[in-house]
Amino acid sequence: MEISGKKAFLPPRELVRGSNIQTLGAWADEWMNATLTDPDGFWLDVARRRVIWRKEPTIGLEGDFHSARRKPLRWFGDGTLNVTETCLDQHLQKHGDKTAIIWEADEPGTGCTLTYRELHEKVCAAACMLYLLGVRRGDRVVIYMGMVPEAAIAMLACARIGAIHSVVFGGFSAESLRDRIIDCGAKLVITQDEGLRGGKIVPLKRTCDQALVDLGQVERVVVFKRTKGEVPWTEGRDVEWKLSDATYFPAEVMEAEDPLFILYTSGSTGKPKGQVHTCGGYLVYASYTHETAFDLRDNDVYACVADVGWITGHTYIVYGPLANGATTLLFESTPTYPDAGRYWDMVDRHSITVFYTAPTAIRVLAAAGDQYVFPYDRSTLRVLGTVGEPINPDAWMWYYKIVGGERCAIVDTWWQTETGGIMISGCPAATPMIPGSATLPLPGILPVIVGADGKPIRSPGTGRLCIAEPWPGMTRTIWRDHERYAATYLEEVPGMYFTSDGCSRDKAGNHTISGRVDDVINVAGHRMGTAEFESVLTADPLVAECAVVGFPHEVKGQGVCAFVVLISTTVPEDLAARLNALLRDKIGAHAKLDVLHIVPGLPKTRSGKCMRRILRAMAKGEDNFGDISTLADPSVVQAIHDIVRAQPSS
Ligand code: WTA
């Protein structure tokens, strides 16, 4: 079938029975009620049904996108709770023996499982350990770990005490880690001796030690021994992760609007932003969207193969699935270790029913070949999800046909660190699927496409994606910088939340996300600011100035292209290696240049502003640069173009 001239597929009929939302009409009813008729009533009802409160909230939303510029929005403001009572305690009586976490360790078939009872005990014991080390309500704790169950246990133990965790992705460098520790004011860091990924050692403790040099603020470092490799030890500061026999730790009663965690994201300018998610609204939204977008069933074996260092890991490995009493898988390895069949081998061994990954992984695996998929039994799969970047229709079709055997629903889920949970996505049993389109907003979400004139475009149309009404899962502020929050999200289009994504909407109301309209690049699902790259590169004494842009990349979605002006005319042979080493050191191994152009100058306006759109067009391989008459030196465009053409990017 076709929808608005695009190929489309009906949701698999077998999915309807037992589904939460069975028809498009049912989705429309729920959407109307949640979004337009009675948002407060809808969310209060969801909140009461899905979350265990110490005091049930009677208030829904307080504030709007105008008032939020001065004062953070509030949801469920008079409610109190501890998130772990929803994620753990409530399941003990009926489902204590149900598997909460399946840990698939680096080597295929190794790892362990934890029941809800075991997880609850470990979280209590870890909370006790942290409490004895001085962690209290409101303290910040940085977690710098790999994909081990202890990472999830550490997050939940903080939540149990009422401490605010900030997980830093294990691929970040010492300097990035240090910046985040300083920004959030953490007094304790939890790390592990070494990580293990694809058979390779990740020196987490060593990197952590480097990050902490002369940083008195961190009093304690708790080290989980994963590999038991030899690591340096600072007496008096470092303590080994050891769980006591304590099997109960009382849950601290928190206000709904108390912060649950801080997670740093890259923006188009300056340093990373500490996004603040709060206890009540975040949990309500995580729980509701996890059930709705994946059409969760009681016996599901649910696998999200993201990293807990990113928001997807927070919401859809830990908080959403556990709130819903699901069995959630935690994956330590990579999609290609020991070969490109790893995911499907896992699906087979664990009888996975819902599988959630990123387009970049799908493209890598599709390129490796179908022979890695077919040997494994995938008949348990029902829903396949993607997140993190736009998925190209070819990769979508491969996922649908080869992995899902044309029997599974695909949900292309659009959302952001800032949104806390999925915003635009099909409902597996109800929404017709369009390869490459995230399709429809979830109930409660009102997307608006804003044109160049700043006015909403009535569908269909193309423009900047905004959200017109608040939802419970959104970040409330940037840690200790509310002005920056207002400036980034609430001032671009007054009265709305600005997503920084471009989007088009078809006649049927389906949304297709085109990607960022700001200077954020999305490389293999890693969100990075071009400004972060530029500040590292210009710190090299050889570099006079530079500009970094993204360009379409077949596997990674976007690649990174740097235009660099050197101080002297001699170009060292190892320049690319040297700059990449610098990036690895300052940001992390995921920050790498794909293309480097040494150019005589940058295209600047007379006021000195670099016209990045010209460089973006060049990096894409285009020949038309539009109006360049406002440049201080238009001839530089030709010079750069000659260099780019002599060194094609792919
Ligand atoms: C992009 C990840 C197209 C988008 C959850 C957004 C997507 C950024 C999709 C947020 C999708 C995420 N289709 N683009 N389904 N999902 N994005 O904060 O550009 O790491 O703004 O959150 O990823 O990245 P973040």
Side-chain angles (χ1 to χ4, degrees):
M1 68 185 264
E2 280 199 357
I3 293 178
S4 298
K6 282 193 183 152
K7 187 157 63 182
F9 300 88
L10 284 175
R13 218 176 277 185
E14 308 79 73
L15 265 59
V16 172
R17 228 166 62 107
S19 154
N20 303 300
I21 295 185
Q22 306 196 340
T23 61
L24 209 50
W27 165 82
D29 285 349
E30 181 137 328
W31 187 85
M32 282 297 280
N33 179 38
T35 316
L36 304 176
T37 317
D38 184 17
D40 257 12
F42 174 82
W43 285 119
L44 277 169
D45 181 53
V46 170
R48 288 184 198 124
R49 278 190 295 111
R50 310 194 70 92
V51 163
I52 305 293
W53 300 89
R54 288 296 183 98
K55 180 183 176 302
E56 257 190 18
T58 62
I59 308 170
L61 170 67
E62 290 170 88
D64 58 36
F65 282 142
H66 292 289
S67 69
R69 288 157 77 161
R70 296 176 310 277
K71 192 167 162 272
L73 288 167
R74 293 164 59 83
W75 279 93
F76 315 124
D78 59 343
T80 65
L81 76 164
N82 184 290
V83 162
T84 63
E85 294 191 325
T86 298
C87 292
L88 301 169
D89 302 60
Q90 72 154 328
H91 306 308
L92 294 183
Q93 233 184 6
K94 274 210 214 132
H95 305 293
D97 296 321
K98 181 172 177 176
T99 302
I101 291 181
I102 299 175
W103 181 47
E104 168 89 5
D106 197 39
E107 291 303 323
T110 65
C112 66
T113 61
L114 292 172
T115 64
Y116 271 94
R117 184 163 297 109
E118 290 165 335
L119 183 61
H120 178 263
E121 283 181 11
K122 283 188 187 273
V123 168
C124 282
C128 185
M129 168 181 74
L130 295 178
Y131 189 86
L132 293 175
L133 290 171
V135 176
R136 295 290 181 273
R137 179 191 184 116
D139 287 347
R140 274 81 59 206
V141 172
V142 162
I143 300 174
Y144 183 66
M145 300 178 85
M147 289 294 288
V148 291
E150 284 69 18
I153 294 167
M155 292 162 75
L156 293 161
C158 289
R160 190 83 176 174
I161 297 176
I164 304 167
H165 62 71
S166 184
V167 183
V168 176
F169 172 58
F172 274 117
S173 68
E175 197 155 318
S176 295
L177 174 60
R178 183 185 177 90
D179 289 347
R180 286 157 176 77
I181 292 171
I182 293 173
D183 189 81
C184 75
K187 66 179 205 186
L188 185 138
V189 176
I190 306 176
T191 188
Q192 62 191 66
D193 49 1
E194 296 169 320
L196 214 47
R197 264 192 103 233
K200 294 200 190 88
I201 297 278
V202 187
L204 292 166
K205 172 65 162 64
R206 276 168 209 277
T207 307
C208 187
D209 282 346
Q210 267 176 36
L212 294 177
V213 169
D214 295 330
L215 203 62
Q217 120 194 14
V218 173
E219 297 156 16
R220 294 289 193 162
V221 177
V222 178
V223 185
F224 169 67
K225 300 264 176 97
R226 163 69 179 98
T227 63
K228 311 203 166 48
E230 192 74 22
V231 290
W233 207 257
T234 305
E235 285 309 325
R237 186 197 69 182
D238 298 351
V239 281
E240 190 174 336
W241 169 283
K242 274 219 173 83
L243 299 186
S244 63
D245 299 333
T247 53
Y248 188 76
F249 187 91
E252 181 80 13
V253 181
M254 309 298 288
E255 305 276 325
E257 280 299 329
D258 280 334
L260 174 62
F261 64 85
I262 301 169
L263 186 60
Y264 286 86
T265 52
S266 296
S268 47
T269 54
K271 59 180 177 97
K273 308 194 213 18
Q275 300 288 344
V276 179
H277 277 292
T278 59
C279 296
Y282 172 79
L283 189 66
V284 168
Y285 199 67
S287 162
Y288 174 73
T289 54
H290 178 250
E291 179 169 312
T292 307
F294 300 110
D295 193 21
L296 192 72
R297 314 281 173 100
D298 282 347
N299 297 320
D300 269 332
V301 178
Y302 163 88
C304 166
V305 288
D307 192 288
V308 286
W310 309 116
I311 190 68
T312 307
H314 283 65
T315 309
Y316 297 116
I317 297 176
V318 181
Y319 289 109
L322 296 179
N324 292 338
T327 297
T328 179
L329 183 133
L330 214 111
F331 181 48
E332 189 179 31
S333 195
T334 78
T336 52
Y337 183 76
D339 63 38
R342 180 64 183 271
Y343 283 166
W344 325 124
D345 170 34
M346 258 174 7
V347 168
D348 189 342
R349 275 188 287 109
H350 298 297
S351 303
I352 290 167
T353 55
V354 181
F355 186 78
Y356 194 28
T357 188
T360 185
I362 297 169
R363 289 190 291 264
V364 167
L365 301 180
D370 306 352
Q371 72 274 20
Y372 288 104
V373 185
F374 293 140
Y376 301 105
D377 181 2
R378 289 156 285 115
S379 60
T380 49
L381 286 173
R382 189 180 77 250
V383 179
L384 299 170
T386 79
V387 60
E389 37 170 331
I391 181 163
N392 48 308
D394 284 350
W396 193 101
M397 284 307 301
W398 186 83
Y399 204 29
Y400 179 65
K401 278 200 166 148
I402 305 300
V403 176
E406 301 182 52
R407 334 168 272 104
C408 299
I410 307 265
V411 283
D412 174 355
T413 64
W414 174 84
W415 58 295
Q416 311 176 299
T417 304
E418 293 87 338
T419 71
I422 296 169
M423 301 284 283
I424 301 180
S425 157
C427 298
T431 316
M433 302 177 276
I434 306 168
S437 170
T439 70
L440 301 169
L442 287 189
I445 304 307
L446 186 56
V448 174
I449 315 274
V450 174
D453 58 0
K455 297 214 173 74
I457 299 176
R458 303 218 170 266
S459 92
T462 300
R464 289 167 294 163
L465 178 63
C466 292
I467 311 293
E469 296 293 338
W471 64 99
M474 61 186 302
T475 49
R476 304 294 192 257
T477 188
I478 291 171
W479 182 251
R480 303 221 157 124
D481 198 351
H482 193 68
E483 260 176 45
R484 194 168 171 212
Y485 179 87
T488 310
Y489 306 110
L490 304 177
E491 275 159 24
E492 178 93 3
V493 181
M496 292 189 199
Y497 167 82
F498 172 54
T499 67
S500 300
D501 275 312
C503 178
S504 63
R505 183 161 55 199
D506 69 16
K507 266 191 282 191
N510 290 297
H511 296 77
T512 299
I513 312 292
S514 55
R516 304 284 299 201
V517 296
D518 58 0
D519 289 320
V520 164
I521 41 184
N522 196 329
V523 182
H526 297 310
R527 173 175 163 184
M528 292 178 280
T530 53
E532 291 174 86
F533 278 86
E534 288 163 7
S535 77
V536 171
L537 297 179
T538 43
D540 187 303
L542 293 180
V543 174
E545 54 180 353
C546 76
V548 170
V549 298
F551 66 93
H553 187 285
E554 243 179 50
V555 174
K556 296 191 281 187
Q558 276 189 301
V560 184
C561 174
F563 296 86
V564 170
V565 183
L566 293 180
I567 287 187
S568 92
T569 47
T570 46
V571 181
E573 228 177 83
D574 61 344
L575 186 68
R578 168 180 167 142
L579 295 179
N580 274 324
L582 198 60
L583 287 166
R584 190 176 338 109
D585 247 35
K586 300 278 171 182
I587 303 178
H590 55 296
K592 216 171 130 244
L593 302 180
D594 295 284
V595 179
L596 170 64
H597 295 302
I598 316 289
V599 293
L602 297 174
K604 288 195 180 161
T605 60
R606 279 178 213 107
S607 58
K609 198 169 169 284
C610 176
M611 284 183 77
R612 313 170 61 87
R613 92 179 148 71
I614 298 177
L615 297 175
R616 275 197 289 264
M618 284 206 210
K620 254 196 224 169
E622 288 172 4
D623 295 320
N624 184 359
F625 310 119
D627 179 18
I628 57 168
S629 63
T630 57
L631 291 180
D633 173 14
S635 74
V636 81
V637 172
Q638 190 57 47
I640 302 173
H641 194 208
D642 290 343
I643 290 166
V644 171
R645 269 192 313 200
Q647 184 196 337
S649 58
S650 50

